[in-house]
Amino acid sequence: MIIEAARLAGSNLLLPASRSVLFKSLGLTILLLIGLWFGLGEIFAVVAMPWLDAFLPGLPDWAGWAGTLAAIIAGIGLALVLALFIAPVTAVMAGLFLDEIAEVIETRDYPGETPGRAMPLGQSVKQSLGFLLVVGLGNIVALLLLLVPGINIAAFFLVNGYLLGREYFEFAAMRFMSPADAKRLRSRNSTTIFFAGLIIAAFLSVPLLNLLTPMFAAGMMVHLHKMVAAKATNLSKI
């Protein structure tokens, strides 16, 4: 189920019906990352530059060292910030576009089945903020664990595999059931969903390709939910 769901999600990225959502998701993700870049630069200019001027007095201004140093440190800082926040950024995008992605997939791949219901705006915002908080805190923990020998990179995959798998699956499931029922379904299939989350974490770790994570992850979990729900239904008939 996991490999098939990933294959279907990957093929969905380039289909004409998905392009509108793809461009919106990609565009907003890039804009958000650009905002982080400028925000980091402003924070550096306000907080760090006065400290550097006091710590290293008398350095030649004519060489433009301050601007160059600011650009270098800001660039390094941005790389670290993006490594930490790319997963929460996908959480925000998921909350905004999962219903649109799901509708495209359900219409094309499951035409004979009852379509899911888009979450009410208030519930969607609440769910997105909760997703953002959980994934953000999880990645702070993962970043700290990167300093621990023998754990480091594995921590990124384990934390994001669990959190992204859990949250994206529940997003997809709640189009068809209550939040409590979605959690129970996820709990009964926790191993399958965790390994599916590891695939999303691997996708997330690839530079540039990770900008498409919201589309890929949402599509994968829509398919996986359909497969898991169908399996549960068949078992109940036995």
Side-chain angles (χ1 to χ4, degrees):
M1 287 192 296
I2 296 171
I3 300 302
E4 179 64 8
R7 184 190 69 79
L8 291 170
S11 65
N12 178 68
L13 292 175
L14 302 177
L15 292 177
S18 302
R19 286 176 189 165
S20 173
V21 186
L22 174 64
F23 292 149
K24 286 189 288 186
S25 173
L26 183 59
L28 282 176
T29 300
I30 292 172
L31 284 175
L32 187 54
L33 295 178
I34 290 173
L36 285 174
W37 170 274
F38 284 108
L40 180 66
E42 288 299 317
I43 291 172
F44 178 82
V46 172
V47 176
M49 284 307 299
W51 179 84
L52 284 175
D53 285 335
F55 187 71
L56 300 171
L59 285 177
D61 237 0
W62 56 268
W65 71 272
T68 302
L69 184 61
I72 292 172
I73 295 178
I76 295 172
L78 179 61
L80 293 174
V81 168
L82 295 185
L84 177 62
F85 283 103
I86 189 68
V89 165
T90 71
V92 174
M93 294 302 108
L96 292 175
F97 296 112
L98 186 137
D99 282 318
E100 289 188 58
I101 297 166
E103 286 172 8
V104 170
I105 292 173
E106 290 166 6
T107 300
R108 187 186 68 246
D109 296 333
Y110 307 95
E113 299 183 18
T114 302
R117 304 180 309 276
M119 283 190 289
L121 179 60
Q123 183 182 350
S124 178
V125 170
K126 180 182 177 181
Q127 194 75 15
S128 297
L129 291 176
F131 194 177
L132 175 63
L133 179 61
V134 168
V135 175
L137 291 175
N139 275 271
I140 290 173
V141 173
L143 185 65
L144 295 175
L145 291 176
L146 289 176
L147 305 175
V148 180
I151 297 178
N152 42 53
I153 301 302
F156 171 86
F157 286 98
L158 292 174
V159 168
N160 282 295
Y162 173 73
L163 292 176
L164 294 175
R166 186 187 78 174
E167 299 297 329
Y168 273 104
F169 183 84
E170 289 184 8
F171 260 127
M174 282 189 292
R175 286 178 53 80
F176 295 89
M177 60 188 68
S178 70
D181 288 337
K183 290 181 186 296
R184 281 192 287 270
L185 182 63
R186 189 263 304 168
S187 180
R188 290 196 298 269
N189 297 274
S190 57
T191 301
T192 297
I193 292 165
F194 171 68
F195 281 106
L198 289 179
I199 292 179
I200 296 173
F203 194 94
L204 184 70
S205 69
V206 181
L208 298 182
L209 189 63
N210 56 15
L211 296 175
L212 301 177
T213 302
M215 283 284 294
F216 174 78
M220 181 178 180
M221 286 307 180
V222 167
H223 285 295
L224 188 63
H225 167 257
K226 285 285 188 180
M227 295 173 188
V228 165
K231 180 182 177 182
T233 300
N234 290 337
L235 288 175
S236 68
K237 293 178 180 178
I238 296 176

